[in-house]
Amino acid sequence: MSLLEVKNLRVTFDTETGPVQAVRGVSFSLGHERLGIVGESGSGKTMTGRAVLRLIRPPGRVDADVMTFDGQDLLNATEREMRALRGKRIGMVMQDPKYSLNPVMTVGRQLTEGLRLRDKLGRADATAKAIAALDAVQIRDPARVMEAYPHELSGGMGQRVMIAMMLIPEPDLLIADEPTSALDVTVQAEVLSILDGLVRDRGMGLIFISHDLRLVARFCDRVLVMHKGVVVEEVAAANLLEAKHPYTRGLLNCLPRIGGPRGPLPGLDRSGAWATEGAP
Amino acid sequence: MTALPAPPPRSRLLPFLGQIALGIGTLAITLLGLLLITFIIARVVPTDPVLSIVGERATEAQMEAIRVKLGLDLPLWQQFFIYVRDALQGDLGTSIRTGQSVTAEIARYFPATLELATLGTIFGTLVGVPAGVLAATRPGSIADQIVRVVGLMGYSMPVFWLGLIGLLVFYGKLDWVSGPGRLDPTYDMMMQFTLTSYTGMILIDAALNGAWDVFANAISHIILPAGLLGYVSMAYISRMTRSFMMNELGQEYITTARVKGMPEWRVIWVHAMKNVLVPLITVIALSYAYLLEGSVLTETIFAWPGLGSYITDALFAADMPAVLGGTVVVGVVFVTLNMASDILYRLVDPRARA
């Protein structure tokens, strides 16, 4: 049985000028594998990730025909049941650690609060577990980082802390929402290889949301290509270069290549029927 | 591999103490500036201090004698030096009206204002912060509308009118509270003659003396004006809390806390509140300082012998030393509260400590 099953997912925002659908009927299923979701800004990839955790705040609404996690219905779960899933079984790493870590709490408190509150661990046990988690993301001086505030960390370290925080409860599914977009390229590679290693070792399911096609192709097993809230194509990552859909082809053509022709890159051709299809 | 950024300082206390010392230095300079301004005002205003002491029929020689006695024949810089020296020693001059030391008089009046303003600020904070949080977590709901309308009323209704209506309803009609003044006359006598005064604040003094009947009477007197001032500061605090809280709840770290499965009370009251506190401390301190100036209208309506009515009375009597003494005290209160909020601000926001 698959870990996560989503059929016809819709995320709607009721605005003053009528409802706006950010996600319009997305379906996919996920086992203990690594699924990439790519698409341009506003294609609904982030909303898809947050809808799974039911973290869309009003006025946003989430509907779907089916949305189950490990057999449990996510649509009709109570808030209490959702809280038991969040953190414990599903984690999420966000884009920029500058904003996703609480600026006035020490790293240590943020890492241990779940352990202390939810798992009722004592201070010493929780600290030991948190330090082990920081070790696992290759932070060299975990005891010192525990005492630090987020603004005292670099972006790469902040993102490792975030990954450590989400992996402490050993979830079955991790949603990584552009986890490296706010980092510079060398740090990106480090953080990704850490994430990759941990996901492989622990056999977690991963939803990797990115706008970087090459990253997704290298990092995932399967790729969903989203555009305007709809999945336009689903391909195995290995076959991404052979993708058929004109939007995916367009995105691929925009990528610069070493040794490629040195003229201007082609823009995305939006003249096809797909570009206006079902548009509001 | 990762290189550590600048290591966090081993002790967070030491730089913090340094900042406090720096703050005190700034405070001293500010106060010196304040004294300079009040000194200049005293020399610029067209009331002649000599004339108001000796009266209009004094001879030239008598006036000269007083002028020398007051030190007004000295050069200005010397006069300022003496003024600062005296002020530092707690001597703000002699009231023309009463012939008593201004410092001693303010020491009698200020505790009444301090008591009232403190209680008002406590009311305002205890009601305003939860009300603002409630409104921010349910924007557009009935609760939000109520908080907004009640807050708007506190903003827009003149405080003297509210005070009069309050007296009419709760004192005149319902007889739930006592009327104007700090105590009933009997208790006032007790307070003056049989009880020891420690702070000049009746609630604290009565409690220290164990005189609980006096305490109860003082409560029934203070509850209405303190409630009124509390309402006004609540209106301000709840509005600011609502807007700060809404801003924080939209931040990404709030999503992180929810992803971690934290219950909603903890998301709001721990994760968001710790961040809301940073600007809120300044708001509460400013509103407290505003009440400590002595709200003249409230003190007049409730016959409250506080700083506001002291300064107003002195002003009408052209009692310049008293007015300026009161101004200096108000200035000191403002600067001190500002510094206190600065220190608290650094305590709650680690980014401000660096």
Side-chain angles (χ1 to χ4, degrees):
Chain A
M1 192 181 59
S2 62
L3 191 59
L4 179 68
E5 188 75 48
V6 175
K7 280 211 179 84
N8 199 18
L9 172 71
R10 289 170 182 279
V11 178
T12 316
F13 288 86
D14 290 316
T15 65
E16 281 167 17
T17 54
V20 173
Q21 289 209 330
V23 178
R24 302 178 294 146
V26 165
S27 305
F28 62 91
S29 70
L30 178 81
H32 287 273
E33 57 178 331
R34 294 169 302 164
L35 174 72
I37 302 182
V38 289
E40 61 193 293
S41 307
S43 58
K45 48 195 197 305
T46 293
M47 283 300 153
T48 304
R50 297 202 175 190
V52 169
L53 280 162
R54 282 235 326 251
L55 279 175
I56 312 275
R57 309 305 296 176
R61 276 186 289 121
V62 177
D63 321 280
D65 294 346
V66 178
M67 190 161 82
T68 57
F69 174 78
D70 205 8
Q72 189 179 349
D73 183 7
L74 295 179
L75 284 170
N76 299 311
T78 61
E79 194 49 33
R80 189 187 197 81
E81 288 165 339
M82 279 314 292
R83 271 208 304 274
L85 281 180
R86 286 185 205 131
K88 194 80 193 162
R89 302 204 57 198
I90 310 178
M92 179 161 80
V93 176
M94 271 96 84
Q95 183 165 350
D96 194 340
K98 264 195 188 57
Y99 303 110
S100 52
L101 293 171
N102 193 329
V104 300
M105 284 165 89
T106 60
V107 167
R109 271 199 71 189
Q110 297 187 57
L111 283 170
T112 53
E113 74 168 341
L115 294 167
R116 310 250 299 144
L117 241 80
R118 188 208 288 266
D119 304 332
K120 307 270 183 275
L121 287 188
R123 183 187 295 271
D125 292 347
T127 306
K129 269 199 136 175
I131 287 183
L134 287 178
D135 250 339
V137 293
Q138 299 175 18
I139 281 180
R140 256 196 253 143
D141 197 352
R144 187 184 267 178
V145 170
M146 289 282 281
E147 297 297 314
Y149 285 95
H151 74 277
E152 294 167 335
L153 304 178
S154 67
M157 285 185 81
Q159 201 60 305
R160 289 165 201 232
V161 166
M162 190 72 194
I163 292 171
M165 188 153 76
M166 288 305 160
L167 293 186
I168 282 178
E170 305 194 342
D172 302 298
L173 171 63
L174 183 70
I175 300 170
D177 185 356
E178 307 244 11
T180 56
S181 304
L183 309 178
D184 64 52
V185 181
T186 44
V187 182
Q188 253 182 28
E190 272 175 29
V191 169
L192 274 178
S193 76
I194 290 169
L195 191 60
D196 192 31
L198 290 171
V199 168
R200 267 179 214 278
D201 292 351
R202 304 184 186 195
M204 276 183 268
L206 174 75
I207 297 180
F208 188 86
I209 299 169
S210 177
H211 58 255
D212 189 332
L213 280 170
R214 270 194 268 230
L215 209 62
V216 168
R218 217 177 54 213
F219 198 59
C220 299
D221 306 317
R222 216 148 40 91
V223 180
L224 295 182
V225 182
M226 281 187 75
H227 177 252
K228 285 195 173 164
V230 180
V231 175
V232 293
E233 187 162 26
E234 181 177 343
V235 286
N239 304 332
L240 187 64
L241 293 177
E242 283 97 64
K244 303 277 181 310
H245 194 276
Y247 177 63
T248 319
R249 290 245 52 97
L251 290 178
L252 287 169
N253 288 336
C254 301
L255 297 174
R257 271 177 295 272
I258 292 178
R262 254 177 297 171
L265 291 166
L268 191 58
D269 178 13
R270 289 177 197 268
S271 58
W274 57 270
T276 45
E277 191 178 298
Chain B
M1 276 310 291
T2 353
L4 272 171
R10 215 161 279 288
S11 158
R12 293 179 189 280
L13 191 66
L14 213 62
F16 185 59
L17 287 179
Q19 279 169 350
I20 291 181
L22 189 72
I24 290 174
T26 321
L27 185 83
I29 294 170
T30 316
L31 290 181
L32 195 68
L34 178 71
L35 285 174
L36 180 65
I37 290 172
T38 53
F39 174 79
I40 291 172
I41 292 174
R43 298 297 174 263
V44 166
V45 288
T47 54
D48 184 348
V50 178
L51 202 64
S52 52
I53 290 174
V54 295
E56 287 182 9
R57 262 171 281 175
T59 63
E60 199 60 37
Q62 281 172 315
M63 285 181 74
E64 193 51 40
I66 296 290
R67 198 179 301 277
V68 172
K69 196 179 152 217
L70 289 179
L72 291 173
D73 55 331
L74 299 169
L76 265 186
W77 67 268
Q78 224 167 341
Q79 287 186 36
F80 180 62
F81 180 77
I82 293 169
Y83 178 66
V84 171
R85 190 194 62 198
D86 287 352
L88 287 181
Q89 289 167 350
D91 178 7
L92 291 169
T94 308
S95 164
I96 294 167
R97 235 174 351 150
T98 59
Q100 289 190 347
S101 147
V102 170
T103 314
E105 287 191 327
I106 289 178
R108 227 176 27 248
Y109 281 89
F110 187 62
T113 293
L114 185 61
E115 194 170 34
L116 190 59
T118 307
L119 213 56
T121 301
I122 291 174
F123 279 168
T125 308
L126 286 186
V127 181
V129 172
V133 170
L134 183 74
T137 47
R138 295 172 183 74
S141 68
I142 305 272
D144 183 24
Q145 303 295 351
I146 291 174
V147 169
R148 271 155 69 172
V149 168
V150 171
L152 194 66
M153 275 164 42
Y155 252 50
S156 44
M157 280 202 282
V159 71
F160 63 87
W161 185 82
L162 275 177
L164 288 174
I165 297 296
L167 271 178
L168 181 70
V169 173
F170 295 108
Y171 172 57
K173 296 276 183 222
L174 296 171
D175 202 20
W176 287 357
V177 300
S178 303
R182 296 176 79 188
L183 282 173
D184 287 352
T186 349
Y187 292 113
D188 205 22
M189 304 274 272
M190 263 178 84
M191 195 72 224
Q192 276 186 30
F193 297 114
T194 61
L195 303 180
T196 332
S197 172
Y198 298 100
T199 60
M201 286 179 274
I202 292 176
L203 290 177
I204 294 177
D205 286 351
L208 288 178
N209 278 293
W212 297 106
D213 48 341
V214 179
F215 185 82
N217 187 254
I219 286 275
S220 84
H221 274 274
I222 204 173
I223 195 99
L224 195 56
L228 185 66
L229 293 183
Y231 179 43
V232 175
S233 82
M234 182 275 274
Y236 182 51
I237 290 172
S238 68
R239 271 174 77 126
M240 297 314 271
T241 306
R242 178 181 187 274
S243 102
F244 295 150
M245 184 52 98
M246 288 194 71
N247 181 38
E248 292 305 328
L249 287 178
Q251 302 292 320
E252 195 78 330
Y253 69 83
I254 293 295
T255 309
T256 306
R258 288 188 175 129
V259 169
K260 281 199 283 182
M262 289 296 123
E264 201 58 20
W265 65 264
R266 193 173 164 85
V267 171
I268 292 166
W269 288 101
V270 178
H271 282 268
M273 201 56 191
K274 272 174 161 281
N275 286 277
V276 166
L277 268 183
V278 177
L280 195 59
I281 281 174
T282 313
V283 164
I284 293 174
L286 277 181
S287 122
Y288 186 37
Y290 172 72
L291 293 189
L292 275 179
E293 273 177 58
S295 19
V296 178
L297 290 172
T298 314
E299 289 183 358
T300 310
I301 288 165
F302 290 93
W304 200 262
L307 192 60
S309 46
Y310 176 74
I311 296 179
T312 323
D313 291 347
L315 200 59
F316 285 132
D319 184 354
M320 238 24 223
V323 173
L324 293 178
T327 311
V328 169
V329 170
V330 168
V332 170
V333 163
F334 242 97
V335 174
T336 314
L337 270 178
N338 252 317
M339 193 188 141
S341 82
D342 234 40
I343 292 173
L344 279 175
Y345 184 98
R346 283 168 212 276
L347 275 181
V348 296
D349 189 352
R351 287 161 298 183
R353 272 178 235 156

